[in-house]
Amino acid sequence: MAAHDGNGWVECRCGQRHWGLHGAAGLLLLRDGAGDPTDGGAGTDVLLQLRAGWTHEGGSWGLPGGARDSHEDVVTAALREAWEEAAVPADAVAVIGSRLGVDHVDWRYTYVLAKAPADVAVAPRTEESDELRWVGLDDVTALPLHPAFARAWPGLRDELG
Ligand SMILES: [Zn+2]
């Protein structure tokens, strides 16, 4: 086993390059929101990350996540990346499911769904992340989203109820 041995580009049969030699995973982390009193109060929030301007699709909002290492399952990979990027404490979140977001055979992206306590502390830990924000489920589409996440979000939103 080697840490970060999944880092690298895949030349995919779809004609694009994707990051993650063994695929990639993102953490869709939910919490019960404190609520915005101006829009009816508490709801469920999702943790979004603003990708730094110099990164691929920089300036867009997406999920913490990244390449899966060879020895990891997708849950382990998503939780590790969320710790590395956003200081999400893996032992404080409860994984509630996963959903295959992209399957190009040569490369896959999996969304790992998890629930955090309302008072969980997060903070950007890498220069790839400009900001972290808890966003109400109905407010996600108001942000400029990473294109792949924008495509996946309606299906994920439906699943969340
Ligand atoms: Zn592809």
PDB file of all heavy atoms in Angstrom, residues 12 14 18 104, ligand 1:
ATOM      1  N   CYS A  12      -9.196   8.277 -20.730  1.00  0.00           N
ATOM      2  CA  CYS A  12     -10.423   7.501 -20.706  1.00  0.00           C
ATOM      3  C   CYS A  12     -10.947   7.248 -22.121  1.00  0.00           C
ATOM      4  O   CYS A  12     -10.728   8.040 -23.025  1.00  0.00           O
ATOM      5  CB  CYS A  12     -11.459   8.267 -19.891  1.00  0.00           C
ATOM      6  SG  CYS A  12     -13.009   7.412 -19.628  1.00  0.00           S
ATOM      7  N   CYS A  14     -13.739   7.694 -23.086  1.00  0.00           N
ATOM      8  CA  CYS A  14     -14.692   8.736 -23.480  1.00  0.00           C
ATOM      9  C   CYS A  14     -13.990   9.872 -24.215  1.00  0.00           C
ATOM     10  O   CYS A  14     -14.642  10.775 -24.730  1.00  0.00           O
ATOM     11  CB  CYS A  14     -15.422   9.277 -22.253  1.00  0.00           C
ATOM     12  SG  CYS A  14     -14.427  10.396 -21.234  1.00  0.00           S
ATOM     13  N   HIS A  18      -9.254  12.012 -16.878  1.00  0.00           N
ATOM     14  CA  HIS A  18      -9.844  12.158 -15.550  1.00  0.00           C
ATOM     15  C   HIS A  18      -8.772  11.955 -14.506  1.00  0.00           C
ATOM     16  O   HIS A  18      -7.848  11.149 -14.677  1.00  0.00           O
ATOM     17  CB  HIS A  18     -10.937  11.108 -15.316  1.00  0.00           C
ATOM     18  CG  HIS A  18     -12.001  11.079 -16.356  1.00  0.00           C
ATOM     19  ND1 HIS A  18     -12.890  12.097 -16.565  1.00  0.00           N
ATOM     20  CD2 HIS A  18     -12.324  10.115 -17.263  1.00  0.00           C
ATOM     21  CE1 HIS A  18     -13.719  11.772 -17.543  1.00  0.00           C
ATOM     22  NE2 HIS A  18     -13.396  10.577 -17.991  1.00  0.00           N
ATOM     23  N   HIS A 104     -17.314   5.332 -16.550  1.00  0.00           N
ATOM     24  CA  HIS A 104     -16.776   5.262 -17.911  1.00  0.00           C
ATOM     25  C   HIS A 104     -15.940   3.999 -18.105  1.00  0.00           C
ATOM     26  O   HIS A 104     -15.143   3.933 -19.040  1.00  0.00           O
ATOM     27  CB  HIS A 104     -15.917   6.501 -18.205  1.00  0.00           C
ATOM     28  CG  HIS A 104     -16.721   7.763 -18.342  1.00  0.00           C
ATOM     29  ND1 HIS A 104     -16.158   8.995 -18.497  1.00  0.00           N
ATOM     30  CD2 HIS A 104     -18.065   7.978 -18.340  1.00  0.00           C
ATOM     31  CE1 HIS A 104     -17.105   9.929 -18.582  1.00  0.00           C
ATOM     32  NE2 HIS A 104     -18.272   9.333 -18.481  1.00  0.00           N
TER      33      HIS A 104
HETATM   34 ZN    ZN B   1     -14.310   9.177 -19.259  1.00  0.00          ZN
END
